[in-house]
Amino acid sequence: DQQVKQNSPSLSVQEGRISILNCDYTNSMFDYFLWYKKYPAEGPTFLISISSIKDKNEDGRFTVFLNKSAKHLSLHIVPSQPGDSALYFCAARSRSSNTGKLIFGQGTTLQVKP
Amino acid sequence: EPEVTQTPSHQVTQMGQEVILRCVPISNHLYFYWYRQILGQKVEFLVSFYNNEISEKSEIFDDQFSVERPDGSNFTLKIRSTKLEDSAMYFCASSPTGPTEAFFGQGTRLTVV
């Protein structure tokens, strides 16, 4: 099941620079997308979400962009901080599921170097 | 800040034994979920629970799995006869309404030996 793909397993950026994490999806029924952050030995923590009726959502240093025609979304973190170093999951929900079931990508490990 | 709590944090069990994983969702949430993550793999949906019944389940959630909300606050996942391949991190999550973001617990690491 490859409906949500994060093709980069890891990303390394310098503190203060921009981090861009990418996510692609194949299911055109997806109508809500979320980014989660996960530290080792902890559960995923919700970061930011976007509905398919929007193309951008911003919350502080975090911005998510959605390109529906390309079935692509990205998470921008500006400026990146060492505390942002974690595993980031992209997740999607289908409009055919009224229970909020999420389909996750494989994750991208972000390392922010001081 | 309200959070989802899971117990135990780590459970080791022998193959064939029954295990019960426990979760206390956020109190005013209505939707409850179990997900699992096998080491090195994606987080996978197992089951959703709403209004005291299963609302959706994956193909993974076969007859050896069951969920229960026994007392209005706890939410449990029971694996009746564990297999080696059930070894994984199991995450409980809750959501105020289905379509919004889910809040996850810290997980229970299940090791079947």
Side-chain angles (χ1 to χ4, degrees):
Chain A
D1 181 352
Q2 292 290 312
Q3 296 186 72
V4 178
K5 296 183 200 178
Q6 293 175 257
N7 291 316
S8 299
S10 63
L11 174 69
S12 181
V13 301
Q14 209 64 38
E15 181 179 6
R17 307 294 287 267
I18 184 171
S19 295
I20 300 176
L21 295 98
N22 294 303
C23 178
D24 296 297
Y25 62 95
T26 56
N27 190 338
S28 58
M29 294 291 285
F30 288 152
D31 66 346
Y32 195 73
F33 303 89
L34 308 91
W35 284 93
Y36 283 85
K37 174 179 175 180
K38 185 181 180 304
Y39 293 116
E42 294 185 13
T45 301
F46 170 73
L47 264 181
I48 192 169
S49 61
I50 188 166
S51 164
S52 60
I53 62 173
K54 295 184 175 182
D55 54 20
K56 177 182 174 181
N57 188 27
E58 191 171 353
D59 184 1
R61 296 186 298 114
F62 301 91
T63 303
V64 56
F65 296 91
L66 176 62
N67 182 334
K68 288 188 291 293
S69 60
K71 292 191 173 68
H72 176 84
L73 64 154
S74 60
L75 173 68
H76 292 211
I77 306 173
V78 182
S80 301
Q81 299 172 353
D84 296 328
S85 297
L87 178 60
Y88 288 79
F89 290 109
C90 168
R93 187 203 71 203
S94 170
R95 65 171 66 91
S96 64
S97 169
N98 60 2
T99 66
K101 163 189 169 183
L102 297 175
I103 306 296
F104 282 83
Q106 310 94 307
T108 296
T109 298
L110 173 65
Q111 182 186 27
V112 180
K113 297 179 181 176
Chain B
E1 184 174 325
E3 59 181 19
V4 176
T5 57
Q6 291 184 243
T7 54
S9 57
H10 191 191
Q11 171 103 37
V12 181
T13 189
Q14 290 208 322
M15 191 168 53
Q17 294 295 304
E18 175 183 285
V19 294
I20 298 177
L21 309 183
R22 303 181 191 278
C23 169
V24 179
I26 296 172
S27 63
N28 61 346
H29 286 190
L30 301 177
Y31 286 82
F32 313 110
Y33 309 89
W34 283 101
Y35 289 81
R36 79 173 184 188
Q37 186 180 26
I38 294 172
L39 188 64
Q41 297 186 22
K42 290 185 180 186
V43 176
E44 303 173 287
F45 169 80
L46 290 178
V47 65
S48 60
F49 192 85
Y50 170 72
N51 202 24
N52 287 319
E53 61 181 21
I54 291 174
S55 47
E56 191 170 357
K57 61 182 181 180
S58 72
E59 61 277 6
I60 302 168
F61 195 87
D62 61 22
D63 291 344
Q64 68 161 342
F65 291 92
S66 62
V67 289
E68 205 174 48
R69 191 156 158 79
D71 56 13
S73 60
N74 292 287
F75 180 51
T76 62
L77 173 69
K78 182 191 290 186
I79 309 175
R80 192 170 61 237
S81 177
T82 50
K83 304 174 193 152
L84 294 176
E85 54 265 35
D86 293 327
S87 296
M89 278 293 284
Y90 287 81
F91 295 106
C92 173
S94 69
S95 171
T97 63
T100 61
E101 58 271 10
F103 295 84
F104 284 76
Q106 81 280 17
T108 292
R109 179 170 297 284
L110 176 66
T111 303
V112 182
V113 296

